[in-house]
Amino acid sequence: MSGAARVLIAGAGPVGLAAALRLAQLGVPVTVLEKRMQLGRVQRASAWLPPTLEVFEQLGILDGVLRTGLQVRRIAYLRAGTATPLASFDFSLLAGETRFPFRLHLDQGSVAAALAARLTAYPHVRLAFDAEVVRVDQDSRGVAVRVGSALGDRVERGAYLLAADGMHSAVRACLGIAFDGVAMARRLLQVLTPADLRVLVPGATPATWIDAPGGWCGLLCMPDLWQIAMPLPDDESDEAALDEAALRARLARFLPIGAALLPLVARAVQPVRRQVAGTYAAGRVLLAGDAAHLAQTRTGLNMNCGLHDAMAAAEALAAALHCPDSADAALELYARERRLVATGQLLPYADRVVPGDAASAADLVDAAADGARARAWLRSAGMLDMPGFRAAVAGPGLPA
Ligand SMILES: Cc1cc2nc3c(=O)[nH]c(=O)nc-3n(C[C@H](O)[C@H](O)[C@H](O)COP(=O)(O)OP(=O)(O)OC[C@H]3O[C@@H](n4cnc5c(N)ncnc54)[C@H](O)[C@@H]3O)c2cc1C
């Protein structure tokens, strides 16, 4: 098997595209294989945290995303029906620790589009649509990937493969890598509205959590829409939750004004998952992003963590190509470190951030009132206490 020095990437989501761009910057030829006919545009992750903004800067897309996204500097916790925040946290407390003391709200499709546009500047990168990875073989010289498309099957060859093909990763399945976790019964009902919720919810900021008896609700403002997320009880079916009357009755518990007439442009039920791959490396294949880990979306960290996987994976793959003698060490270091971030930090943090019972509400109030605790809270929520990516074992002479 040979693919010279080319790296193959399965999946053109934000993680695959970010890895491709970093590899391109490092001078490595890349082929991205995407099963869809175009980039995904479905509304999904939307909050980008300070360390990820540094990644965007390194990838050369920061100015563009700052222009289109919404900079959110305050997170508010409200009790339904009261305008005075139960607690609020101001990112300016982190001004001494990061050049980006805010969250950027922008849908992940726009970020993926910005990454893909930037990739066109690199002639050694190929982005192939209608290219579904269906089988992976490898030997000591490289990987061979069978790709299905409307025009028939073909084989793509490379030195290494990065699996960034999402939660149902075909690459992970082909390699028999376990994706263990707790099958959580919890689900989220998500709706999108173009109405400005700051008008309907006094005290709301563009990142607001509302507690009400028996539940909570998250309101996230994006440049042109608000996303509303509410957990569902285990015994309620998806169909029942999506029913118009039931949905508006649930909304009314959090939005006393306007729930009956709120314009809704989308609604969906999403399972809450908690899973991590048994290993992030198998021979010449690395895993990153949702292919490697899933944590509940309320924290907003899963996507951000995936972007940092992408950068670390790209550095490790470039180092492996540059120094074949230490290639195994570079890949193992990536796998060990990034899996530890997921199991040691991402998942425990996501588990702690459980919707507000009385104890956690009291804890929030105390934390917000105490400068040092508020700063610590913001550092966790902003991912500043989680290791980001760092250059693996890049040898001397690797292009900057
Ligand atoms: C409804 C929803 C809401 C979410 N909200 C949030 C949020 O608010 N905050 C947050 O942090 N996270 C959120 N997430 C999670 C976030 O969207 C993911 O963490 C993120 O998309 C992971 O990026 P990725 O590139 O790893 O995977 P994906 O974005 O899933 O991209 C994988 C890509 O691989 C392609 N692909 C799949 N299989 C193959 C194959 N066999 N061959 C070739 N290509 C393939 C897919 O078409 C896709 O383009 C949400 C997820 C969902 C579903």
Side-chain angles (χ1 to χ4, degrees):
M1 258 171 236
S2 170
R6 183 164 288 271
V7 169
L8 306 180
I9 296 180
V15 171
L17 292 170
L21 188 46
R22 184 65 191 135
L23 282 163
Q25 288 177 330
L26 293 167
V28 176
V30 184
T31 299
V32 184
L33 302 162
E34 167 56 49
K35 72 175 178 183
R36 292 187 236 207
M37 297 293 184
Q38 58 188 16
L39 295 179
R41 291 300 309 184
V42 179
Q43 183 65 51
R44 291 171 65 179
S46 49
W48 306 96
L49 302 172
T52 309
L53 298 177
E54 286 175 22
V55 165
F56 290 164
E57 185 174 43
Q58 183 165 10
L59 293 177
I61 64 163
L62 181 67
D63 291 347
V65 296
L66 286 182
R67 262 197 310 278
T68 39
L70 183 72
Q71 296 179 24
V72 177
R73 292 172 189 275
R74 202 157 62 82
I75 300 180
Y77 284 80
L78 303 177
R79 189 150 272 150
T82 58
T84 312
L86 195 61
S88 88
F89 295 89
D90 194 327
F91 270 100
S92 64
L93 283 176
L94 299 181
E97 303 189 39
T98 168
R99 286 182 296 120
F100 307 109
F102 52 86
R103 300 159 41 123
L104 187 78
H105 285 190
L106 182 63
D107 68 280
Q108 73 177 61
S110 299
V111 171
L115 291 166
R118 188 80 188 167
L119 277 176
T120 58
Y122 296 91
H124 51 291
V125 175
R126 195 159 64 88
L127 175 51
F129 291 101
D130 183 21
E132 179 173 7
V133 173
V134 292
R135 180 185 164 130
V136 178
D137 293 294
Q138 57 177 320
D139 64 17
S140 60
R141 287 170 302 147
V143 291
V145 167
R146 179 160 292 277
V147 175
S149 81
L151 298 175
D153 285 11
R154 65 180 189 276
V155 173
E156 296 270 352
R157 295 178 195 280
Y160 295 99
L161 169 67
L162 177 64
D165 51 344
M167 66 169 94
H168 303 296
S169 173
V171 175
R172 192 184 61 225
C174 283
L175 296 173
I177 298 174
F179 201 38
D180 292 330
V182 186
M184 301 186 95
R186 267 187 288 147
R187 289 154 305 142
L188 285 182
L189 173 60
Q190 287 199 327
V191 297
L192 296 177
T193 176
D196 186 351
L197 295 182
R198 275 167 297 197
V199 176
L200 298 177
V201 184
T205 70
T208 294
W209 304 101
I210 305 178
D211 270 319
W216 58 271
C217 158
L219 312 179
L220 288 192
C221 180
M222 287 169 293
D224 50 356
L225 286 171
W226 283 75
Q227 190 180 74
I228 306 176
M230 298 164 283
L232 292 177
D234 298 351
D235 57 358
E236 186 171 340
S237 70
D238 291 5
E239 295 69 32
L242 290 166
D243 170 74
E244 181 79 21
L247 190 156
R248 290 192 184 275
R250 177 169 273 115
L251 275 174
R253 286 162 49 196
F254 306 100
L255 315 181
I257 316 167
L261 296 175
L262 197 68
L264 301 177
V265 293
R267 60 188 76 178
V269 173
Q270 243 202 78
V272 177
R273 296 171 194 269
R274 185 195 192 283
Q275 285 170 283
V276 63
T279 177
Y280 281 20
R284 293 177 164 269
V285 183
L286 296 183
L287 269 55
D290 277 18
H293 51 78
L294 293 174
Q296 65 147 323
T297 56
R298 189 194 177 200
T299 62
L301 292 190
N302 201 55
M303 170 79 264
N304 285 271
C305 193
L307 259 284
H308 292 260
D309 295 343
M311 297 296 279
E315 300 276 349
L317 291 167
L321 286 166
H322 186 72
C323 300
D325 290 347
S326 55
D328 290 349
L331 303 190
E332 279 163 22
L333 181 66
Y334 163 81
R336 201 171 50 245
E337 288 197 342
R338 293 311 299 174
R339 191 171 183 281
L340 203 56
V341 169
T343 57
Q345 295 201 258
L346 172 68
L347 296 176
Y349 177 78
D351 293 343
R352 277 201 312 277
V353 186
V354 177
D357 51 37
S360 62
D363 199 47
L364 274 177
V365 174
D366 289 350
D370 172 334
R373 284 192 63 198
R375 199 170 296 112
W377 187 94
L378 280 163
R379 293 187 91 252
S380 293
M383 219 171 92
L384 286 166
D385 61 359
M386 189 182 285
F389 84 93
R390 65 182 169 79
V393 284
L398 196 66

